[in-house]
Amino acid sequence: MKFKKMLKIELKKNEDFPENLLDLLPRGYQELNHIAILNLKPEIRIYAQEIAESMHKILPALNAIWQRTGKIEGKYRQPQGLAHLWGDKKSEIIITENHVKYKFDFTKIMFAKGNVTERRILPTRIKEGEIIIDMFAGIGYFSLGMARTKKPKKIYSIEWNLVSFNYLCENIQLNHVDSIITPIFGDCKEILKDFVKENEIRADRIIMGLLPAPIDAIPSALSVITDGGVIVYEGIEGKESTELFEQFSKIANQEGFLTILIERRIVKIYKPHLYHVVIEILVKKN
Ligand SMILES: C[S@@+](CC[C@H](N)C(=O)[O-])C[C@H]1O[C@@H](n2cnc3c(N)ncnc32)[C@H](O)[C@@H]1O
C-alpha cells in the first residue's frame, strides 16, 4: 500500500486531525539513515506532531521524524527550518554511498540524495595522475569519491562555509584519503588568484559543482586550467538545451580558449521542464 494511503488510514483514528485535511498529507518523505524528513503543506503544519505519531506506527523501522519548513538557501546552501518531531534527536549522521562515507549534520548541511548517480559517475572519468581542483567542495560530495579511486595525484578541495569545511576535513580522515586531498578554507575565486600568483598549481580537471550555475567563477577556473584540461560545469536548463555550454563557451572564448563539449548528463529533474545538468568541457588555448 502507498505511504499516503497508509498514513490516511492511521490518522483517521486520531480525532484531533480534521478529516477534511487528509488529502493534503504528503505522498512521500526524504529518508537519510532511517530518519524521515517531511515537507508538509502550510495548512497541515500545525498537525505535524500528530502526523509524526501516526507515521512511526506505520513505519516502525524509522528512528526519527523531522519536518522541513524552509528551502536550501543562501550563499552557503544551508537547509532552513528543520524541526524535530519524533524519536532520536541526534542530527549528525554518517551516510555510506558508493563505498564513500559522508559525515554531516543534516540540520546544517545539504545532502542531495538525487545526485547519487553523479557522485558515482564523476570519479569514473578521472585519469591517472591528474591534479584536480574542486572549487565548491562542501563536505566532499565529489572530492571523496574521486580520491577513493586513488587515481588523482592531488585534489585541492575549496570550501568557504566553516561548518562544511570542518566536516570535509573529518570526512577526508574517515575515508583515509588525506594523502590525496588538500582541503582549503576560503572563497575559491580568491584562492585561485593565489594559485595564479604563485604560478605553481595548475589543474587538469576542475569541478564547479554549484547551483545555480556559478557563471562568475568561470574566469577563475580558466586562469588555472592546463591546456587541454577538463572543466565540469553544472546548471539548470531544458532537457535538450545547449544554453549552459553556450554560456560557458562565450566567456571561455573571450578569455582566449576554445571549448569542446565532451559529455552532457542530466542529474535530476529540477522543476517541470527544467533539469539539473552537468557538462564536461575540454578547454584548449586558442
Ligand atoms: C552544497 S555544495 C553543492 C554540491 C553538489 N553539487 C550537490 O548538490 O551535492 C556547494 C558548496 O559550495 C560552497 N560555496 C559556494 N560558493 C563558494 C565560494 N565562492 N568559494 C568556496 N565555496 C563556495 C557552499 O558553501 C557549498 O558548501
Side-chain angles (χ1 to χ4, degrees):
M1 202 190 295
K2 294 223 169 99
F3 167 69
K4 183 169 176 173
K5 199 167 175 191
M6 289 198 297
L7 190 57
K8 263 183 171 179
I9 294 170
E10 192 57 41
L11 261 169
K12 265 189 189 171
K13 298 178 197 162
N14 185 337
E15 287 172 3
D16 294 334
F17 192 88
E19 205 162 337
N20 63 328
L21 296 183
L22 283 168
D23 273 339
L24 298 180
L25 288 169
R27 275 203 214 117
Y29 54 91
Q30 188 192 1
E31 189 174 336
L32 298 168
N33 280 8
H34 300 289
I35 298 166
I37 302 171
L38 282 169
N39 276 317
L40 298 176
K41 293 208 163 92
E43 302 92 310
I44 55 170
R45 275 184 199 157
I46 52 163
Y47 299 103
Q49 210 62 54
E50 285 79 0
I51 295 169
E53 286 299 328
S54 297
M55 190 168 160
H56 84 85
K57 285 183 192 147
I58 58 168
L59 298 166
L62 288 180
N63 290 334
I65 303 174
W66 291 68
Q67 164 175 221
R68 192 204 316 275
T69 51
K71 290 185 181 157
I72 290 167
E73 278 175 342
K75 64 182 226 174
Y76 295 145
R77 307 278 297 132
Q78 279 175 309
Q80 307 294 319
L82 267 136
H84 175 264
L85 295 174
W86 174 85
D88 191 356
K89 285 194 173 143
K90 210 169 125 250
S91 55
E92 188 176 75
I93 55 173
I94 299 177
I95 284 196
T96 306
E97 186 193 88
N98 305 324
H99 308 289
V100 179
K101 290 191 180 92
Y102 302 92
K103 183 175 179 183
F104 62 100
D105 181 333
F106 65 82
T107 63
K108 298 184 184 138
I109 306 280
M110 64 154 286
F111 191 86
K113 277 196 111 181
N115 298 356
V116 53
T117 309
E118 187 54 28
R119 283 190 289 272
R120 182 179 55 76
I121 292 177
L122 200 71
T124 65
R125 304 299 190 259
I126 310 303
K127 299 196 182 82
E128 207 73 44
E130 282 190 351
I131 305 276
I132 300 172
I133 298 175
D134 186 355
M135 287 176 71
F136 306 96
I139 61 166
Y141 305 102
F142 296 130
S143 294
L144 296 168
M146 293 189 295
R148 268 193 58 94
T149 64
K150 304 280 180 219
K151 283 186 181 169
K153 189 169 168 198
K154 179 62 69 192
I155 304 176
Y156 297 96
S157 304
I158 310 170
E159 173 56 47
W160 71 358
N161 170 358
L162 190 57
V163 179
S164 300
F165 181 76
N166 287 336
Y167 279 116
L168 169 66
C169 296
E170 267 198 70
N171 286 329
I172 291 169
Q173 299 302 324
L174 204 60
N175 288 280
H176 312 291
V177 287
D178 46 315
S179 61
I180 297 179
I181 302 182
T182 300
I184 303 172
F185 178 68
D187 179 345
C188 59
K189 285 189 272 180
E190 296 304 317
I191 305 286
L192 295 193
K193 272 187 205 159
D194 293 343
F195 281 19
V196 173
K197 260 192 239 152
E198 286 159 18
N199 203 24
E200 269 174 14
I201 301 164
R202 292 293 176 272
D204 304 301
R205 187 176 300 263
I206 298 181
I207 315 297
M208 299 181 74
L210 181 69
L211 293 181
I215 310 170
D216 59 332
I218 296 173
S220 308
L222 292 167
S223 70
V224 290
I225 192 81
T226 52
D227 195 6
V230 173
I231 298 185
V232 183
Y233 189 61
E234 281 191 22
I236 310 291
E237 67 178 4
K239 200 169 195 172
E240 309 288 340
S241 175
T242 53
E243 207 180 304
L244 265 182
F245 179 59
E246 281 160 21
Q247 182 185 81
F248 185 97
S249 298
K250 193 172 164 202
I251 296 172
N253 296 160
Q254 284 162 1
E255 300 279 328
F257 289 88
L258 294 173
T259 54
I260 299 161
L261 182 65
I262 308 175
E263 198 173 330
R264 179 177 184 272
R265 302 187 284 272
I266 290 188
V267 178
K268 60 182 184 298
I269 185 151
Y270 185 72
K271 53 177 146 172
H273 311 296
L274 280 179
Y275 295 81
H276 173 182
V277 169
V278 168
I279 51 175
E280 294 202 1
I281 309 150
L282 189 136
V283 293
K284 281 191 86 53
K285 293 231 167 75
N286 197 353

